[in-house]
Amino acid sequence: MSQSVATARIIGVSLGHRTLAEADHWIMELTPAPVLACTHLVATPYPHVAISLLTAASFETGPELATAAGEAAAGRDGRAVRFPGVERLTGELTVSEILQRSSISRVEVLGGGPADPATVVETGDFVRPRFRAGELVLITAPAAGGRLIPFETRNPTPCCADH
Amino acid sequence: MGHGHDHSHDHSHDAVSENDLPEALDLSVPTAELSSSDATRRSFLLGAGLLGAGAAASVLPHPGAAAAHGASPQTAQGGFRWLAGDHHIHTQYSSDAQYRVIDQARHGHAYGLDWLVITDHGSATHAKIGVDKVNPDIVKTRAELPGLLTFQGLEWNIPAAEHATVFVHPGRNEVEVLKQFETRYDGSLLPSTNTAAQNEAMAIAGIQFLGEQVKARKIDGALFFANHPARRGIDSPHEIRNWRDADPTVAVGFEGAPGHQAAGIPAPNGRGGARGYYDNSPSAASFPGYPLESYRTWGGFDWMTATVGGLWDSLLAEGRAWWITVNSDSHVNYLDQTERGPGSDFNANGKYNDPVYNGSINTQAGDFWPGYYGRTNVGSASFSYRAVMDGLRSGRVWVDHGRLIKALDARVRVTGDRRWSTGTPLGGVLQVRRGTSTELVLDIDLQDVPNWAGFIPVLKRVDVIVGTVTGPVTDRDAFTAPDTRVVKSFEVSKTSGKITFSYDLGRLDKPFYLRVRGTDGNRTQPGLLGASVDPYGPQLDVSGAADPWGDLWFYTNPIWVLPR
C-alpha cells in the first residue's frame, strides 16, 4: 500500500465511454479506489468521456483514444467522482460540514454565488464537484424547503441498475 | 451572383442561398422583374407586413437588395388578428405519450387555442406507421373542430442536436412530404457511425429539403422551431445559425420556454421535479462553452431566451431574424385521469390503444393540456393555416404563461406619428433616415378574466430591452450580446383596463433592435450578466418547488430599427 502511494501519479485513460454514468461506473469498480478520479468530456475522435486518475496502477488506452487520454491527464476542469472525503458526503449535510469532511473547498449556488455555510444540502449520496482554478467546487441549486441539491443529480435510471 | 429571372440557373447546388427563395419573397429581385402574379403577391405581403425580416436570414441589407429594401420599408399597419397556438403536442402515436388527436385538439381549443401542431416523435415506427395513421385522425379533427387550425407535423430528432418541431401547410402531399423528410433526415434513423460533422450536415440538408418541397409547390409552407434548445446543451450556437441559414423561410426560431411546465409543482400535489424537465448536466455531446446555468430554466424560460444579452440576443444583434415561442410539449397531463389503453402494442401498431379512464389522479405528470398554461400569440392577417404560418415566419409573435396579460400590441414608429394605423409590428424592420426620432408604443390589455388556475394574473413590471445591431459575428459560436440591456422598466400600478406606454428610442444613430418582457414580479433577481444589464431578471427555478402559476412572464419578439 505504501509502495502504491509512493508511485501514484496522474494518468489519463480513455475507454470510449459514451456517458458519464458509464465512466462513473467504471471508476467505482476500481480496486483499490483511486485517491482522485475525474471525468473529462472530450470531442475527438468522437464525443465521449475520458478519465484521469491519481493512481499507482496502469491502464491501457487504445491508440485511437490516446489523444483523449492525454487531454484527460492534462485536464484542469475535471468532474470529480473519487476525491478525499467523498465517502463521507452522504445524506443531508450543511455546507460547512461538506467543506470539513471532504477536499471540496467551495460550495456555490447556481447563478447565485457562495452558499451560506449553514444551509442544508441534500446530497442524494451523489456528489460530483468540479475542478476550477485548482480547487474542487461543488455547484448546487436551490431545492424545496430552502435547501440545496447538487447541480448534478443521479440519473433517474442509476448507472448500476442492471447489476 | 445576381439573381437570374429567366429560370435558367440551376438549383442543384448544395448551399441554399437567398437566391433560392421564392421570387415573391426574395427582396433582391426587383419588383419589375417579377411575374405579375408574383408582384401582386409581394405587394400584398409587404402591405400586410408579412414580408421582411422573416423572409431572409438577416434583416441587414445584402448586396443587390439595397434598392428593394430602400423601396420597401417595413411600415406595416397593426390590426392583426392574434391567434393563440401551440406547436409542440404529442399523441398516442408517440411512444411516450397517450392521447388521441381529438383529445388534445378539443382540450386545446377549449383552453383558448386557435391553432396547434401535432408533433409525434420521429422514429422508425413513426416513419413506417404513425406518420400515415395519424393523418386521418387529424383530417377528422379539422372537420370536427372548424374553429381550430390543426396542423400535422412531427418532432424531429435533429441530427447531432435536440428535437425540433417541423410542420407543413395542410394539403394533398402533407403526409408524403413529412414521411420522406422523416425517413431521410431523422436523427434516430441515421447510421450511428456518422460523425458529428456528418450529422450537422444532415440537419442542414433536412431543412433545405423542406424548403425545396415548398418551391416545388408540393406543399404550401413548412416551418421549423428548435425545441427545448438548452435542455442538454447539445444545440451549439453555430448549429442554430446554420439552421437559420439553411433556409430562412423554414427554420425560423426556437422555444423561448419549454413545455412540461407542471414538472416542478411541489410534492405531494405534484411531481416535485425540475420545471420543464430541465435537470440535465453537460454530456460529451454538449457544446463545451455553455455554462451550467444554461441547463436550468429561469422563470420557466430557457436560458437562451431568459438571459438578457445571452444567446438569443446575440442572434438578434447580428441582425439575424430568429423568433421565440412557448408550448405545452404535452405527453401525459397533470391531474389527468386516463392511462394508455390496455393491450397496446406500440411497435406493431405505431400507436397506443385509445386512453381509458382509470379513476386515479395523475399528480406525477409534468405537462399541461395545450392552451392551459402557455400561449404563442401570432399576428395573423386572417384565420387560416397560411396566415398563421406567415405570422410565425414573420416573427409577429408574443408569448405568455398563465395568461399574464390579455392582449398586446407593440409598434415602433416615427416619433409623434399618432395615426393608429402606422407603426412597425413585432418581427418587423423599420427603416428611417439617420437622425430620425422613433418611439416604441406598447398597448397592453390587462387580464380581466381568471386563468385556468382560477385567478386573474396581475402584471407588475414591463421591461424594454434594447441592443445595438453589430452585424454578422466572426465566431459562429458566439452567444453573448455585450451591448444589449434593459433600458427601461415600467412599474405597472393599474390592475384593470388598458395600459399604454410609449418609450422614446431617441434619434437613430446606429441600427438597433428592441424586445419587450413583462412579469408578475413574484420572482426576480439580477440577470446572469449583471444588474446593470438586467436588474429584474427571472430567477432560477427551484427544483421540486416551482409553482408555475406563481411566476408568470410574457416575452415579445423583436422589432429592428435600421438606418435607411
Side-chain angles (χ1 to χ4, degrees):
Chain A
M1 194 64 186
S2 60
Q3 217 175 359
S4 303
V5 170
T7 58
R9 77 286 187 218
I10 296 279
I11 60 162
V13 190
S14 180
L15 302 168
H17 292 124
R18 292 287 185 163
T19 66
L20 290 171
E22 286 170 34
D24 282 14
H25 180 76
W26 184 84
I27 289 168
M28 299 304 276
E29 296 280 289
L30 294 175
T31 316
V35 176
L36 181 66
C38 294
T39 59
H40 304 262
L41 305 177
V42 291
T44 52
Y46 52 85
H48 72 283
V49 184
I51 293 162
S52 65
L53 301 167
L54 177 58
T55 178
S58 293
F59 299 92
E60 284 292 316
T61 292
E64 77 283 5
L65 297 175
T67 309
E71 250 182 72
R76 306 194 66 79
D77 56 349
R79 161 187 169 276
V81 178
R82 302 287 320 183
F83 53 93
V86 64
E87 66 285 348
R88 305 204 305 148
L89 300 182
T90 57
E92 297 179 357
L93 298 169
T94 64
V95 167
S96 70
E97 283 173 323
I98 289 174
L99 299 177
Q100 284 160 18
R101 290 178 175 213
S102 73
S103 52
I104 292 173
S105 45
R106 285 171 194 279
V107 178
E108 294 186 356
V109 183
L110 192 68
D116 185 298
T119 308
V120 173
V121 179
E122 294 171 8
T123 66
D125 306 344
F126 187 83
V127 180
R128 298 288 187 267
R130 290 154 195 268
F131 273 101
R132 195 174 69 201
E135 287 185 325
L136 262 188
V137 181
L138 179 66
I139 308 292
T140 62
R147 297 176 164 215
L148 296 169
I149 54 173
F151 169 78
E152 186 181 340
T153 53
R154 192 192 293 276
N155 194 301
T157 308
C159 71
C160 304
D162 294 334
H163 301 277
Chain B
M1 73 183 222
H3 189 114
H5 51 277
D6 57 1
H7 290 268
S8 64
H9 62 292
D10 79 61
H11 282 261
S12 63
H13 49 75
D14 290 326
V16 166
S17 68
E18 279 132 354
N19 293 347
D20 286 333
L21 293 173
E23 287 188 345
L25 293 178
D26 185 351
L27 290 171
S28 69
V29 182
T31 303
E33 295 185 12
L34 294 172
S35 71
S36 62
S37 62
D38 273 353
T40 308
R41 183 161 176 237
R42 174 190 281 182
S43 128
F44 164 75
L45 293 169
L46 280 169
L50 297 173
L51 185 55
S58 173
V59 301
L60 301 177
H62 45 87
H69 271 283
S72 313
Q74 285 293 293
T75 49
Q77 62 187 44
F80 298 106
R81 185 163 171 184
W82 291 88
L83 301 179
D86 183 325
H87 69 70
H88 188 177
I89 297 166
H90 295 267
T91 73
Q92 65 200 123
Y93 296 93
S94 290
S95 65
D96 52 357
Q98 66 178 51
Y99 302 111
R100 305 169 190 89
V101 173
I102 192 73
D103 295 330
Q104 295 286 36
R106 285 184 64 220
H107 279 90
H109 195 38
Y111 291 131
L113 298 188
D114 303 296
W115 60 273
L116 49 75
V117 188
I118 300 299
T119 53
D120 289 304
H121 288 289
S123 70
T125 308
H126 186 262
K128 196 169 62 168
I129 310 172
V131 69
D132 288 304
K133 275 175 118 174
V134 73
N135 184 261
D137 295 2
I138 290 172
V139 169
K140 202 169 163 215
T141 296
R142 288 171 185 157
E144 288 187 23
L145 298 173
L148 180 73
L149 301 167
T150 305
F151 291 92
Q152 181 167 352
L154 67 101
E155 187 167 26
W156 184 28
N157 295 293
I158 311 172
E162 266 288 357
H163 301 165
T165 286
V166 162
F167 69 105
V168 300
H169 190 284
R172 200 157 40 91
N173 300 314
E174 64 185 319
V175 176
E176 183 196 328
V177 167
L178 287 170
K179 186 168 183 160
Q180 273 182 16
F181 170 78
E182 183 176 350
T183 306
R184 289 190 199 177
Y185 300 106
D186 194 82
S188 71
L189 304 177
L190 296 175
S192 60
T193 50
N194 269 12
T195 64
Q198 285 172 319
N199 281 333
E200 288 187 17
M202 284 303 279
I204 291 168
I207 291 166
Q208 291 173 340
F209 169 84
L210 292 167
E212 286 154 13
Q213 305 314 299
V214 179
K215 281 195 285 282
R217 304 198 191 280
K218 290 198 79 169
I219 44 173
D220 282 342
L223 288 172
F224 159 107
F225 287 97
N227 293 341
H228 35 73
R231 181 179 65 164
R232 295 193 288 142
I234 61 174
D235 287 359
S236 62
H238 74 264
E239 286 174 284
I240 294 170
R241 290 183 166 95
N242 289 348
W243 301 333
R244 178 70 182 157
D245 292 349
D247 190 332
T249 66
V250 174
V252 299
F254 55 34
E255 290 180 349
H260 309 308
Q261 291 280 328
I265 295 174
N269 291 333
R271 183 182 181 84
R275 198 169 175 182
Y277 289 137
Y278 271 41
D279 59 3
N280 279 275
S281 297
S283 74
S286 300
F287 175 67
Y290 287 145
L292 296 184
E293 284 81 359
S294 71
Y295 292 81
R296 298 292 180 270
T297 54
W298 298 78
F301 276 68
D302 183 287
W303 165 89
M304 292 184 183
T305 292
T307 309
V308 173
L311 190 145
W312 185 34
D313 284 313
S314 81
L315 301 176
L316 303 180
E318 272 190 90
R320 190 177 292 274
W322 189 250
W323 320 126
I324 61 159
T325 61
V326 306
N327 63 91
S328 66
D329 202 353
S330 167
H331 287 69
V332 181
N333 297 327
Y334 180 60
L335 301 184
D336 187 38
Q337 296 198 278
T338 66
E339 63 186 35
R340 288 172 195 150
S344 294
D345 185 343
F346 185 85
N347 289 330
N349 302 329
K351 65 184 284 197
Y352 291 108
N353 294 342
D354 289 351
V356 295
Y357 172 74
N358 68 4
S360 68
I361 296 174
N362 191 343
T363 57
Q364 298 305 294
D367 314 340
F368 289 121
W369 288 104
Y372 196 82
Y373 186 67
R375 282 191 298 180
T376 294
N377 303 281
V378 182
S380 309
S382 66
F383 180 80
S384 71
Y385 289 94
R386 177 184 291 277
V388 168
M389 294 187 91
D390 286 343
L392 285 167
R393 194 178 290 112
S394 304
R396 207 163 41 250
V397 174
W398 63 275
V399 301
D400 71 345
H401 276 162
R403 301 297 194 276
L404 175 57
I405 55 177
K406 191 168 188 181
L408 175 148
D409 184 31
R411 279 161 288 139
V412 175
R413 64 191 184 188
V414 173
T415 303
D417 184 346
R418 290 284 178 265
R419 290 171 296 171
W420 71 271
S421 60
T422 56
T424 297
L426 298 177
V429 182
L430 175 64
Q431 290 180 302
V432 295
R433 287 200 173 78
R434 276 184 203 279
T436 305
S437 288
T438 57
E439 63 183 350
L440 166 70
V441 181
L442 192 60
D443 293 319
I444 296 175
D445 291 346
L446 296 172
Q447 193 52 270
D448 59 5
V449 292
N451 59 21
W452 298 115
F455 68 92
I456 300 175
V458 177
L459 179 69
K460 286 281 175 55
R461 182 180 298 107
V462 175
D463 299 315
V464 180
I465 297 158
V466 171
T468 303
V469 174
T470 46
V473 290
T474 47
D475 174 10
R476 288 177 71 85
D477 275 322
F479 59 85
T480 58
D483 189 53
T484 299
R485 66 198 63 246
V486 175
V487 297
K488 178 70 182 175
S489 286
F490 295 98
E491 301 284 336
V492 179
S493 50
K494 246 177 127 172
T495 54
S496 65
K498 189 181 189 114
I499 54 174
T500 297
F501 298 122
S502 66
Y503 177 69
D504 179 6
L505 296 161
R507 289 181 179 280
L508 179 68
D509 58 350
K510 50 191 175 183
F512 66 92
Y513 71 93
L514 63 86
R515 59 187 182 88
V516 181
R517 180 187 71 182
T519 175
D520 61 6
N522 287 342
R523 289 177 49 79
T524 61
Q525 70 174 56
L528 287 170
L529 299 180
S532 62
V533 171
D534 185 10
Y536 305 108
Q539 264 187 34
L540 176 64
D541 286 308
V542 176
S543 176
D547 173 4
W549 302 99
D551 184 19
L552 303 178
W553 295 76
F554 79 76
Y555 286 71
T556 74
N557 275 301
I559 301 171
W560 282 270
V561 182
L562 306 180
R564 202 181 275 179

